[in-house]
């Protein structure tokens, strides 16, 4: 249930209403400040609450509305229709993800392999326009005998790349035991597709401060995905970005997964959270990445995650879907055409101060 | 197996080689004229043919290559990498579908309901920029008790709309018994998703002259789809357009189907045939159609099929996924931005003479 | 809507009620005679009919009930909970398919290849206990270049096998043009998975007398499948057997399809029609056929379709999923254990006179 | 790679060969004792090893074979074709799971709700023939606001039920942090479908001694499932039971998941590990559980997991798929018919001493 306040409601009145709601009705109250309105979201056993009674609490209350969706905090209704933004601090400044901001590009290799490759890749993707470096330190691999990532030493190399380039770092967390190490280095913590419903992990990243990139599970419905995000918000962390990376269907011969771009308009109507598309995992082949990245921008994505490797043929993982830095350069060039067409491209630095 | 001829090969020599291939090796020979080369495709039992022996047939032969794919005539290799175009005759002139032509827009209602609505829709979609009117006379419906289309009388109404507007007509054929009636009115004959592997029907449309729009089956693999097209080409009709309309996956709550836009780069690499995307069936909801249409253009589609109805709320079928003419106008406006960005938009008439 | 008559309702009264329903309410009336009751099913625009008004028609009317499902004639409610049986005439006598009858075994090769093989197979499967011979004359093949079946000459060979063994014949119809030829030979006409929603074909087999075996489409939902059957019943033919043959899922590496045995209890509750399971297509590998056949019997199937070929390694189609006659013998032996356990096995002839 | 030793190889010779393999070839060696043979499995970088050289190590070596599958320790080849058994210690004695043992029945509620219900359920399912009690203390729930299980206090109640009835306990572990608490109470630790590829968790349960029940992920391929099991074996725990619980497909209207019974013959040929089927989650409706349980026994399952609740209508979770104790009684009665038919039913106690 949400309480929509009239514009101009005094701060003390907002506080008074919040406290009264919490005390008299036994619910948790979360304030969100939209462009024009202040919204108080109530979480808890709201099924029996009487909207008219709450309305009487204050003449500053414009409306009291029920959130009909099973997901509450992540639903667009919970913010009375406003988009949220996730503002990420990086050495180069704050980078905002969201519907009203330029498309943010995240790029880098599947795995961090050594210092030279990660630093070189970071420099190249920065030069091309990326704001974040991705790179796996802990890798979820189908086989226990496959390369599992270099772990903490890879985190150190990511930190070095961050220092050299000023790019933000996005890297995956697989085990709650590694949370503090990962959170030390990462500017955004990634939860991978296989862990989308690892609820223990979701609760842990929800109880800390770093923004979270939540990838969609391989056969997760939209509702399940949003409910997974709800776990993170319910635990206290409002900074979640949703990343589509392809779903599993009956045909995997050419594209390894089926990139479901319709999530862009679907999520836009259901949630206020920012959206990312990963066409590299979404297709599994470098030659399909470009067209799907263009499509994602045209459909309105807020950000893109692209795998780039200095030498894809020798990559320790995911080589076939990685672009070379040269291919990435020319792809960003093309992307700028579509980014400008949708009015969401920033030629110069996206850095803002906040 | 294909024989690539050197540029400048005299016409008589081409004929001589073709005849010799047919006679001495017992294969069917199909000539295709690309931008720079003439290609002779051989169909039949080519497994035992010796490439070097064929090479000796003429000094004008540049190369003899084996087509490794299970689909032959539809494969890109069969035309030595060239795209084909499907040139459709309409009252307003010839409209070409293909990789090197402007994006062709097809629009109209799910079903033809009455004269007024179909004429009005035709005028409106023409004014907005469509080159073809779609509209169902025979409707495949899950229930035998649902509206099945007005059949031949609907074909007459489509013919009237064609006369009034000069638009080409695309309508579905479900029963071989209706072929001549449909072919009389339609400029392009549509084979629906449910009939993609109705091989009797494929053979019949392959044995006549009108171009064919072949929709992908609801859970057809790319290979099965191309093999279905191969049935049509093998029966003698080279004019096939492939239309993606969404596949069936585990999540149908928001989007009714999952529109698989990755088919655009996948098909581009596998086949020379033109590609159409149908975001209306592909999503099942009018509010998702626009973003998916933009995405399709950005990803490189050759054409789009969009459902438009003067009054979607009262449509006899597929109302929820139909746009109003006004919504369609503004969607085409937006599409033009992306169409121009990819250099495939024709402000004025696309009409060409051929 | 159905009208349930009290037991003992006189024949003339049944006729009178039927006529009055048809005349006064403008609906089609179909009588079905269950074990204890006579049911009058009304088809047509029943949404506005008043149950109490119909009740007043006769004191012999016990109840008037609405069929809530989208499928009417095939729904279990339409027969007030009774199972139907499909009684097939064969040279060896009538064979009943249905919930209250022994499990019927159908066996034979994918395609009819030559006289010797089909006669030999027929003799062998008859000796093992099969009541029907299956064999394809017209084959739906993904590739236009693959063996398409021997057509009419294969029908003649099936007729010969029928004469020699007295087995009933089940063979597939793909093209409405072949209906009379197929109906001449077949005792049951098979509609294949790819044609499950070929509505033109469904209407045609609904308008003739031979029983129909309707295979489930590769990604057809239960509702779509039952609606396809409804097309046949709505066209006048009540004798439909539903055959599950595996659905398409994300994993096809070991079993080619995923045999969905849960359809057995699901269909049992939704429809009165008999159920067949095809573990050969359902798994695609001969070594998995036995366990799935046993499972089907234990779960309550009414019949089984098994591919048997005298020399699977040399089969023109579907060799890997075919059993040898020896393997089939021993499988039937095992099956008898489970058939007896469920009380649905007939040691001697299943032939009955009707 | 495996080394098959001749029967009668002296113990010291086995030790000598093992040590030599480990030292000279730098691989890990695992001994498994089959019915007739002793097998030494080598894990590590075996790609470059020369089979003939290893053969020369001892005249007692019968054969040196390469394991071609990506999964090694779980593959049937790794044990030279022998099935393994998982022997679980319970207060009532050791219960063996495996191909050569009676079908083991596991039953109980989705969640442990209170002492009375869990003790009552335990007594009832024991009386009916179950050897294990299942019950969730930690529940993976799609919504953060849904009942999450009573955690440690539920573990105490399970321990109480174990003491009263002597049944073994199977309960799910979701968080590595709860491992010691769960392992204290559980006789078998369950890894749920959502955590099948939670590799951190797999490594942890692999590094402790309690047997592990590994449920198949909702859209996990057979290979991915076996690789997940391989993680556990690779970490040192050979006692893994594989549990099929339904996969996600396009149709969820009637059965919530599609129970893939073909895994029984597929797994049997690929792995030596015991197989369990869970028809309760596999169908999601109590009325379908019986037929699928019968089918699973007929197809050869080694065990079954069935949800039983004293009052399904009031269950805190999964009520619709739970049987009442009375329904369970009569289901076990029916199951015994099929269990005897396959020669895998133990009328009296299955307790053995080991």
């Amino acid at each position: 249930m949400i309480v929509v306040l009239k514009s101009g409601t005094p701060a003390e009145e907002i506080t008074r209403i919040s406290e009264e709601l919490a005390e008299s009705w036994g619910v948790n109250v979360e304030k969100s400040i939209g462009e024009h309105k202040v919204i108080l979201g109530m979480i808890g056993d709201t099924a029996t609450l009487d909207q008219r009674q709450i309305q009487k609490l204050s003449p500053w209350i414009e409306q009291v509305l029920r959130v009909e969706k099973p997901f509450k905090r992540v639903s667009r209704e919970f913010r009375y229709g406003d988009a949220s933004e996730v503002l990420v601090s990086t050495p180069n400044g704050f980078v905002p993800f969201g519907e009203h901001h330029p498309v943010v590009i995240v790029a880098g290799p599947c795995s961090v392999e050594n210092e030279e490759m990660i630093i070189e890749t970071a420099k190249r993707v920065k030069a091309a326009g990326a704001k974040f470096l991705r790179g796996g330190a802990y890798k979820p691999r189908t086989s226990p005998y496959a390369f599992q990532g270099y772990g903490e030493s890879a985190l150190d190399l990511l930190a070095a790349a961050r220092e050299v380039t000023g790019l933000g770092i996005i890297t995956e967390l697989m085990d709650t035991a590694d949370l503090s190490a990962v959170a030390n280095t990462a500017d955004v913590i990634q939860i991978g597709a296989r862990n989308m419903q690892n609820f223990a992990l979701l609760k842990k990243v929800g109880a800390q401060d770093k923004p979270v990139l939540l990838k969609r599970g391989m056969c997760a419905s939209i509702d399940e995905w949003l409910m997974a995000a709800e776990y993170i918000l319910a635990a206290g962390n409002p900074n979640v970005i949703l990343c589509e990376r392809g779903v599993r269907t009956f045909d995997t011969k050419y594209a390894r997964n089926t990139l479901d771009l319709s999530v862009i308009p679907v999520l836009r109507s259901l949630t206020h959270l920012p959206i990312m598309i990963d066409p590299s995992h979404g297709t599994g082949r470098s030659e399909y990445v470009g067209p799907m990245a263009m499509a994602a921008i045209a459909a309105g994505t807020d950000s893109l995650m692209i795998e780039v490797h200095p030498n894809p043929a020798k990559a320790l993982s995911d080589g076939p879907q990685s672009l070379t830095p040269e291919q990435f350069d020319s792809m960003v060039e093309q992307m700028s055409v579509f980014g400008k067409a949708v009015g969401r491209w920033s030629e110069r630095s996206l850095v803002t101060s906040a």
Side-chain angles (χ1 to χ4, degrees), chain A:
Chain A
M1 205 176 260
I2 62 167
V3 173
V4 184
L5 300 179
K6 292 181 185 162
S7 50
T9 306
E12 320 80 75
E13 181 65 1
I14 297 176
T15 307
R16 192 191 65 81
I17 300 172
S18 298
E19 286 172 4
E20 192 133 342
L21 286 170
E23 282 158 28
S24 313
W25 275 273
V27 294
N28 290 315
V29 180
E30 292 180 10
K31 185 174 68 175
S32 69
I33 301 172
E35 232 174 314
H36 307 293
K37 310 261 177 197
V38 168
I39 311 297
L40 300 177
M42 292 181 282
I43 296 284
D45 190 6
T46 62
T48 57
L49 299 190
D50 181 338
Q51 285 164 258
R52 283 160 311 175
Q53 280 226 292
I54 294 172
Q55 181 84 49
K56 285 181 200 152
L57 261 185
S58 160
W60 289 100
I61 293 179
E62 190 177 297
Q63 245 186 315
V64 181
L65 296 170
R66 217 166 261 293
V67 177
E68 304 291 349
K69 300 284 190 312
F71 34 91
K72 306 295 176 194
R73 288 166 167 98
V74 308
S75 80
R76 193 122 190 155
E77 295 165 81
F78 198 72
R79 290 177 63 95
Y80 201 54
D82 273 349
S84 62
E85 63 172 25
V86 171
L87 203 59
V88 184
S89 166
T90 76
N92 290 337
F94 283 93
V95 182
F97 289 78
E99 192 177 340
H100 303 301
H101 296 287
V103 175
V104 179
I105 299 169
V106 179
C110 179
S111 315
V112 177
E113 297 175 3
N114 59 58
E115 183 159 6
E116 197 197 332
M117 75 79 79
I118 196 67
I119 301 277
E120 187 201 333
T121 309
K123 286 179 177 171
R124 292 297 304 264
V125 302
K126 185 192 179 189
K131 297 296 157 200
F132 287 87
L133 176 70
R134 63 149 288 154
Y138 302 94
K139 299 299 308 168
R141 302 303 299 276
T142 301
S143 167
Y145 311 125
F147 172 60
Q148 309 268 316
Y150 288 124
E152 291 209 28
S153 68
L155 291 175
D156 293 343
L157 299 181
L158 285 170
R162 187 177 186 271
E163 209 176 298
V164 171
T165 60
L167 291 176
I169 298 295
I170 300 187
T171 196
E172 180 167 352
L173 174 69
M174 291 173 60
D175 190 345
T176 52
D178 301 319
L179 176 55
S180 69
V182 168
N184 260 348
T185 301
D187 298 296
V188 176
I189 299 174
Q190 177 177 320
I191 301 296
R194 288 171 185 79
N195 281 314
M196 192 201 83
Q197 290 194 317
N198 179 341
F199 299 121
L201 196 59
L202 297 179
K203 288 173 182 174
K204 286 276 166 46
V205 295
Q208 56 85 52
D209 285 339
K210 287 284 168 81
V212 177
L213 180 69
L214 180 64
K215 291 205 151 190
R216 182 183 187 181
M218 247 172 287
C219 64
S221 69
I222 298 277
D223 280 358
E224 288 168 342
W225 189 12
L226 289 175
M227 289 309 258
E230 187 83 11
Y231 263 94
I232 301 172
L233 271 77
N237 187 344
N239 294 305
V240 173
I241 302 162
L242 297 166
C243 181
E244 160 71 22
R245 42 79 71 207
V247 293
R248 183 165 276 188
T249 66
F250 54 85
D251 195 5
T252 55
K253 181 164 176 186
Y254 300 105
R256 199 170 63 161
N257 295 299
T258 299
L259 187 68
D260 182 5
L261 289 178
S262 71
V263 301
I264 298 172
V266 171
L267 290 178
R268 202 61 98 203
S269 68
L270 295 176
T271 182
H272 54 81
L273 296 174
I275 302 166
M276 184 184 287
I277 300 292
D278 173 353
S280 302
H281 285 87
T283 64
R285 287 227 209 150
S286 60
E287 58 267 44
Y288 306 151
V289 171
M292 290 299 97
M294 307 308 148
I297 295 176
T301 191
D302 303 325
S303 54
L304 279 163
M305 176 175 268
I306 311 284
E307 287 201 356
V308 177
H309 190 283
N311 188 349
K314 296 207 170 164
L316 292 182
S317 53
D318 279 353
Q321 73 195 31
S322 296
L323 302 180
T324 62
E326 292 71 32
Q327 290 170 330
F328 181 64
D329 283 348
S330 87
M331 206 187 88
V332 176
E333 197 67 37
Q334 273 183 274
M335 277 159 58
S336 71
V337 177
F338 295 98
K340 287 168 196 165
V342 294
R344 297 181 63 187
W345 202 256
S346 157
E347 213 51 75
R348 276 148 303 120
S349 174
L350 301 173
V351 174
T352 60
S353 55

